[in-house]
């Protein structure tokens, strides 16, 4: 979030989706874009999974995204999630289609927009532009998701190789990547948090310390939008309905029915 935009709009940082819409209305009336969004299916799905967590909690998120439970998929909470997405649509600008995530980040950075719902990699963009956390930008949980860490992991993959020299080189690379100092320096620049649990948060900024605290002591759930949950077929079924609903006049009831049918077909 951009604190200066909130100040100019006389709006409060939201902790719930109800507070989000109250703030968004003030921000929009003040001439700013409340939510910067890139019009790509995975970005819209990131907002959707944040909505699911914010209104339904961890148990509902797991039933929908991980278990694909038919009752959860056909529930009033699922209808509410799509209704919330429709309401969010009023607070993004008309130029979202095809916009990349970093272009949306730049909107928050330059004060055109107030907020963006995105992974912690956006912090690397702010840091590269010499922006300071708690001064130029704020890192916050999405509305209603306090103490929940929605995890997406990046990985270095290696092929199985033959020959002692090649195998030794792989071990050297893996060992180097996991050294405490390398883990710290890499994540300080990227905006993420270390894969190791024994890295002190002392040298991390407030954003990193908050993320490490929630990761270590909160509830961890995998990100569906970042391909951490299910098969590509079911992931595509989710994303197709989410983006179709968000970019049309499809009702929440219709989206819920279509989603349940699409998931059943993909299973």
């Amino acid at each position: 979030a951009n604190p200066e935009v909130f100040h100019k709009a006389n709006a409060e940082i939201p902790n719930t989706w109800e507070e989000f819409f109250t703030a968004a209305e003030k921000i929009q009336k003040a001439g700013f874009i409340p939510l910067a969004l890139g019009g790509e299916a995975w970005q819209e799905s990131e907002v959707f999974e944040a909505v699911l967590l914010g209104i339904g909690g961890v148990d509902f998120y797991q039933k929908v995204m991980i278990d694909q439970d038919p009752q959860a998929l056909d529930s009033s909470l699922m209808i509410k999630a799509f209704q919330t997405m429709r309401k969010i649509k009023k607070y993004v600008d008309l130029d979202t289609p095809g916009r990349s995530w970093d272009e949306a980040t730049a909107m928050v950075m330059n004060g055109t927009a107030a907020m963006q719902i995105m992974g912690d990699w956006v912090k690397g963009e702010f840091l590269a532009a010499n922006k300071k956390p708690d001064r130029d930008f704020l890192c916050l949980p999405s509305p209603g998701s306090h103490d929940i860490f929605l995890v997406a992991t990046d990985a270095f993959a290696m092929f199985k190789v033959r020959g002692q020299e090649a195998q030794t080189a792989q071990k050297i690379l893996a060992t180097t990547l996991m050294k405490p100092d390398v883990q710290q320096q890499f994540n300080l620049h990227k905006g993420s948090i270390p894969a190791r649990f024994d890295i002190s948060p002392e040298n991390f900024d407030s954003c990193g310390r908050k993320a490490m605290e929630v990761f270590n002591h909160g509830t961890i759930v995998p990100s569906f939008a970042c391909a951490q949950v299910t098969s590509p077929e079911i992931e595509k079924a989710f994303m197709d309905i989410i983006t179709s609903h968000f970019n049309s006049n499809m009702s929440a009831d219709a989206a819920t029915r279509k989603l349940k049918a699409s998931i059943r077909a993909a299973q």
Side-chain angles (χ1 to χ4, degrees), residues 5-258:
V5 174
F6 274 87
H7 177 72
K8 289 179 179 178
N10 194 29
E12 298 292 328
I13 297 291
N15 294 307
T16 66
W17 282 106
E18 289 79 8
E19 292 176 2
F20 173 89
F21 292 119
T22 299
E25 189 67 23
K26 288 185 176 182
I27 291 164
Q28 194 171 67
K29 287 182 178 179
F32 302 98
I33 298 168
L35 184 67
L37 180 65
E40 298 174 323
W42 72 272
Q43 295 189 63
E44 292 159 357
S45 294
E46 283 210 338
V47 176
F48 187 82
E49 66 184 6
V51 168
L52 276 186
L53 280 171
I55 68 174
V58 171
D59 289 344
F60 182 66
Y61 180 90
Q62 176 161 329
K63 287 178 181 178
V64 171
M65 292 300 186
I66 300 173
D67 302 334
Q68 290 103 49
D69 178 78
Q71 289 186 325
L73 288 167
D74 201 22
S75 66
S76 58
L77 269 179
M78 181 58 71
I79 293 173
K80 184 178 179 181
F82 280 111
Q83 289 172 336
T84 303
M85 289 292 289
R86 173 67 69 242
K87 198 171 179 181
I88 289 171
K89 183 68 181 288
K90 298 193 302 184
Y91 298 106
V92 302
D93 63 302
L94 297 176
D95 296 326
T96 60
R99 178 185 291 149
S100 65
W101 67 266
D102 54 315
E103 290 173 325
T105 302
M107 294 168 63
V108 180
M109 200 183 301
N110 64 28
T112 302
M115 296 171 276
Q116 181 185 18
I117 296 173
M118 186 52 61
D120 56 14
W121 49 85
V122 301
K123 193 180 77 170
E125 297 290 303
F126 281 95
L127 297 180
N130 295 317
K131 303 292 184 180
K132 303 294 183 183
D134 298 326
R135 186 192 72 185
D136 304 310
F137 66 98
L138 305 173
C139 304
L140 305 154
S142 59
S145 66
H146 180 70
D147 285 340
I148 301 172
F149 193 102
L150 192 63
V151 66
T153 58
D154 289 318
F156 291 90
M158 298 183 191
F159 292 104
K160 186 176 182 179
V161 294
R162 295 178 180 177
Q164 186 62 45
E165 185 177 354
Q167 292 173 4
T168 299
Q170 286 186 336
K171 289 180 181 179
I172 291 172
L173 176 59
T175 301
T176 301
L177 289 172
M178 292 304 293
K179 285 182 178 178
D181 184 59
V182 174
Q183 278 286 304
Q184 176 171 279
Q185 291 303 319
F186 173 80
N187 287 279
L188 284 173
H189 285 83
K190 185 177 181 291
S192 48
I193 62 174
R196 296 183 61 127
F197 288 90
D198 59 349
I199 306 297
S200 170
E202 181 179 350
N203 293 323
F204 285 75
D205 57 36
S206 61
C207 298
R209 289 195 298 270
K210 287 177 187 176
M212 293 170 79
E213 174 68 20
V214 176
F215 187 81
N216 288 324
H217 302 291
T219 302
I220 300 173
V221 294
S223 167
F224 130 77
C226 293
Q228 308 291 299
V229 172
T230 188
S231 68
E233 293 79 14
I234 292 178
E235 180 184 313
K236 184 178 185 302
F238 268 111
M239 286 192 178
D240 284 350
I241 300 301
I242 291 167
T243 197
S244 293
H245 168 265
F246 194 73
N247 294 287
S248 71
N249 293 321
M250 186 189 302
S251 70
D253 287 336
T256 301
R257 290 194 304 271
K258 287 177 180 290

